[in-house]
Amino acid sequence: STANIPLQTYKAKEPFMGKIVSTKRIVGAQATGETCDIVINHEGKMPYWEGQSYGVIPPGTNPKNGKPYTNRLYSIASSRYGDDMKGTSTTLCVRRATYWCPELKADDPAKKGICSNFLCDTKPGDEVMLTGPTGKVMLMPEDKPETDLIMVATGTGIAPYRSFWKRLFIEDTPAAKAYKGMAWL
């Protein structure tokens, strides 16, 4: 049942201050663009379910309105146990947003993504303002372990499915022991 799903534990007015554990590029040198695997310590204070998202509030002020930036949503890419199985961290897979200017024949730094670039540039120990978790649409059917899953995504849209695979096929979890369905990606 989704009755006890964690939702909006932290809101934009009072975000949780997470700490970066690691940031690493996860695409090859020849790949177009950059995608990073970002592990954030939430001390177990921001539990989530696979398929949910966290909001990230980038630091700074929006030059368009002079107000602090608002949060951006990122799908959680780790199972509820975190990639270290301790339940104290979350992993986000983030593609750095850039804008290729056809006139300059180069990336235009004035049009780069604020939050994705902030996250991809973080270092261990950096603080990150988190909101959420949010979302209850992309959840696995917990009460029917025989359910077949068909997962369709491109690019970083694959992040929530990474959390599904980890919990069902990679990690030693009760859900993995119970799962009897087929999963297609």
Side-chain angles (χ1 to χ4, degrees), residues 6-125:
L7 280 171
Q8 297 302 342
T9 311
Y10 291 90
K11 296 184 174 48
K13 288 197 183 341
E14 291 183 59
F16 180 79
M17 294 303 280
K19 275 209 168 52
I20 298 291
V21 175
S22 64
T23 302
K24 68 179 180 209
R25 180 184 170 104
I26 55 171
V27 293
Q30 303 305 314
T32 55
E34 178 180 20
T35 302
C36 294
D37 179 276
I38 301 159
V39 180
I40 305 169
N41 181 353
H42 63 73
E43 302 169 14
K45 295 176 181 168
M46 277 189 89
Y48 56 87
W49 284 10
E50 300 77 12
Q52 288 190 299
S53 299
Y54 273 166
V56 176
I57 304 172
T61 305
N62 186 335
K64 292 179 182 143
N65 61 17
K67 295 181 178 166
Y69 285 115
T70 54
N71 71 340
R72 309 319 204 257
L73 291 180
Y74 291 91
S75 297
I76 295 171
S78 49
S79 76
R80 63 189 64 189
Y81 308 105
D83 288 341
D84 62 3
M85 294 300 287
K86 294 178 183 166
T88 59
S89 68
T90 190
T91 300
L92 304 179
C93 292
V94 177
R95 186 171 200 275
R96 186 184 292 272
T98 56
Y99 173 75
W100 179 264
C101 176
E103 291 167 17
L104 294 172
K105 292 193 177 24
D107 282 337
D108 182 346
K111 294 181 179 171
K112 70 180 186 179
I114 302 299
C115 200
S116 66
N117 280 273
F118 161 69
L119 285 169
C120 288
D121 290 338
T122 56
K123 305 278 181 269

Side-chain angles (χ1 to χ4, degrees), residues 1-2 4 49-50 80-81 139-147 149 164 167-168 174-175 178-179:
S1 142
T2 57
N4 43 4
W49 284 10
E50 300 77 12
R80 63 189 64 189
Y81 308 105
L139 303 176
M140 289 190 291
E142 297 290 327
D143 52 340
K144 296 186 181 122
E146 69 284 356
T147 302
L149 300 175
F164 291 10
R167 183 158 166 240
L168 293 178
Y179 189 64

